Amino acid sequence: PRLVLSYLFAWVMVVCIRPGAIAANGPVIGKYWLYAIGSDSSSSSSEGWHARGVGFGCITFVTLINILSAKWSLRLINLLTVVKIVVLLVIVLAGIIAAAGRLNIERNNNWSRGFTGTSSDAHAYAAALTKVFWAYDGFTNLVYSLGELRRPERNLPWSIGGSVGIVGFLYIMANVAFFVVVPIDVAVSSEETLAAEFTYRVFGHQIGRVALPVLIGLSVLGAICAQTYGVSRLLDSANQVGFIPYGSRICGNHTRLGTPVMSLAIMYVLTLVYLLAPPPGKVFDLLVDFVQWSTWLFYGLAAAGAIVLRFTRPNHPLRSFRSFHPLNALFILFCVYITVFPFVPPANASNDPYPFYLSPLLGLITTLVGLAPWYFRLVWWPKRSGADLTAWVEAEELDGRIGQEAALPAPEAHEGYVEHEKNETTVVLD
């Protein structure tokens, strides 16, 4: 059916992927900052509510900054990005010095033990890959703000490719550093505060247990800033193509503040639901696995769509660059693996408080629930009102131009809000 995949992607991105991801990062900040003040940052500390409380304050702060000023939101994102890179460089350099034997730290047998005690079943690999690619998923945030990016047809591939390359190298080297310094049993038990255990063992109490964990928490805050900034723009984009009923009332920039206030408020409420609703336990793992299932489902569908478009519309005038099909195929196979094998029972019994299938099942259910609003908005409502919400697709397919200005229904006027600035450059990503 027309636009069903596009609608479902917008649905899961707004309803579960981005608010769930922000909610997952919130308690991580709390754990690092509680670690810095010497408090118990574990999940068992008042059932993890201390860390969630810190996360609540951070999410509220970031939302307010995004509401008050887009310019200061971007400045904060850039500042915290610098903090993250500096912290990663400190960890990497400290790890290199430790590996060279220049630091007085206790030696461990991490390298000699190999893969002793690890799992090798398909479910375990899928769970591990989910966490690994969670760390790299920030590369997509820029895509949702293309309307505010200069020359996206040139800058987008370079920005994403360069950022993933740099961050990938730093992350790999940081994990090598952790492996050199932190014993494997401590690394496993520390969960999300592994970096703090590393800095404490290398730099001691004042710098390693207090200063650097605070900075690590700030780097995680930067991820929340980027996610919050990007998803509010995605809501506006969904409104521009007619996906959102009464969109003129909840989308668009405020006339005085120049920011999407209502979009940010909606995302804030959804984020708090994911932050506060889960029962006690490993909330981070539950939310990450939940949002990653839907994320990689649609990443795989997007890669498949790129291959289909190459053959069905080989000379599309909006195609600014071409992807490499063998890499697309490999990417699709990976997406299939990471969405199918979480449903396969693990070989060994798990101590997790949730069933192994809960997170992917919630992701699947949330995605399928989106079929109901899709039907009412794009099938039932056009039949009842006579409005054609898919005419812009026909215009694009006919002449390669986005036909929004001519084909989309005119947005309703609403006092206090203005339509989000239209993007002058459209890019076909395949």
Side-chain angles (χ1 to χ4, degrees), residues 17 66 85-86 88 126 146-147 208 221 251 256 274 292 386 395 400 408:
I17 292 177
N66 276 271
I85 293 175
V86 169
L88 282 171
L146 282 182
L221 182 65
C251 298
R256 183 171 61 86
Y274 288 110
Q292 285 291 82
L408 277 179

Side-chain angles (χ1 to χ4, degrees), residues 148-224:
E148 299 166 56
L149 178 67
R150 295 178 182 176
R151 298 186 63 185
E153 73 280 0
R154 184 199 68 177
N155 293 330
L156 180 66
W158 283 104
S159 299
I160 290 180
S163 61
V164 171
I166 293 171
V167 172
F169 172 77
L170 292 175
Y171 278 1
I172 291 172
M173 294 303 296
N175 277 278
V176 171
F178 297 153
F179 214 64
V180 169
V181 173
V182 184
I184 192 66
D185 56 334
V186 177
V188 172
S189 63
S190 61
E191 297 179 340
E192 294 89 47
T193 56
L194 171 58
E197 286 290 340
F198 172 87
T199 57
Y200 175 57
R201 291 168 181 272
V202 172
F203 297 101
H205 185 272
Q206 293 298 326
I207 297 177
R209 186 174 178 90
V210 179
L212 285 175
V214 170
L215 294 178
I216 295 170
L218 287 175
S219 73
V220 180
L221 182 65
I224 290 179

Side-chain angles (χ1 to χ4, degrees), residues 1-189:
R2 174 156 287 184
L3 292 179
V4 64
L5 292 179
S6 300
Y7 191 96
L8 288 179
F9 173 72
W11 165 265
V12 297
M13 183 61 68
V14 171
V15 173
C16 77
I17 292 177
R18 277 299 177 257
I22 295 170
N25 280 325
V28 177
I29 303 173
K31 289 187 176 185
Y32 275 105
W33 288 357
L34 290 171
Y35 184 95
I37 65 174
S39 177
D40 183 5
S41 60
S42 66
S43 298
S44 61
S45 174
S46 297
E47 305 295 356
W49 287 107
H50 294 166
R52 292 198 211 189
V54 175
F56 169 79
C58 292
I59 293 168
T60 302
F61 167 75
V62 169
T63 302
L64 288 175
I65 291 294
N66 276 271
I67 287 175
L68 296 175
S69 173
K71 182 181 294 185
W72 279 102
S73 299
L74 290 173
R75 289 173 177 172
L76 182 60
I77 291 172
N78 292 334
L79 174 62
L80 295 178
T81 300
V82 172
V83 171
K84 171 175 281 190
I85 293 175
V86 169
V87 170
L88 282 171
L89 287 174
V90 168
I91 291 174
V92 169
L93 293 175
I96 293 174
I97 296 173
R102 300 295 182 178
L103 293 178
N104 185 22
I105 58 174
E106 182 181 353
R107 297 293 177 180
N108 59 59
N109 66 340
N110 288 350
W111 295 104
S112 60
R113 71 192 304 273
F115 293 95
T116 303
T118 61
S119 299
S120 59
D121 62 278
H123 179 90
Y125 277 109
L129 287 171
T130 297
K131 304 299 191 301
V132 169
F133 282 91
W134 161 265
Y136 294 92
D137 199 32
F139 74 91
T140 60
N141 288 324
L142 181 61
V143 176
Y144 309 123
S145 305
L146 282 182
E148 299 166 56
L149 178 67
R150 295 178 182 176
R151 298 186 63 185
E153 73 280 0
R154 184 199 68 177
N155 293 330
L156 180 66
W158 283 104
S159 299
I160 290 180
S163 61
V164 171
I166 293 171
V167 172
F169 172 77
L170 292 175
Y171 278 1
I172 291 172
M173 294 303 296
N175 277 278
V176 171
F178 297 153
F179 214 64
V180 169
V181 173
V182 184
I184 192 66
D185 56 334
V186 177
V188 172
S189 63

Side-chain angles (χ1 to χ4, degrees), residues 305-315 319 321-325 328 430:
I307 296 176
V308 172
L309 284 174
R310 184 72 61 82
F311 291 99
T312 58
R313 292 177 175 83
N315 300 313
R319 179 174 288 111
F321 51 88
R322 297 172 181 267
S323 57
F324 187 48
H325 278 337
N328 283 340
D430 73 339

Side-chain angles (χ1 to χ4, degrees), residues 365-378:
I365 292 174
T366 305
T367 302
L368 294 178
V369 165
L371 290 172
W374 166 80
Y375 174 80
F376 283 108
R377 181 59 178 168
L378 297 182

Side-chain angles (χ1 to χ4, degrees), residues 144 232-244 404 420:
Y144 309 123
S232 61
R233 275 68 184 173
L234 176 64
L235 201 61
D236 280 355
S237 298
N239 175 53
Q240 288 181 13
V241 294
F243 285 178
I244 301 177
Q404 288 185 3
H420 190 64

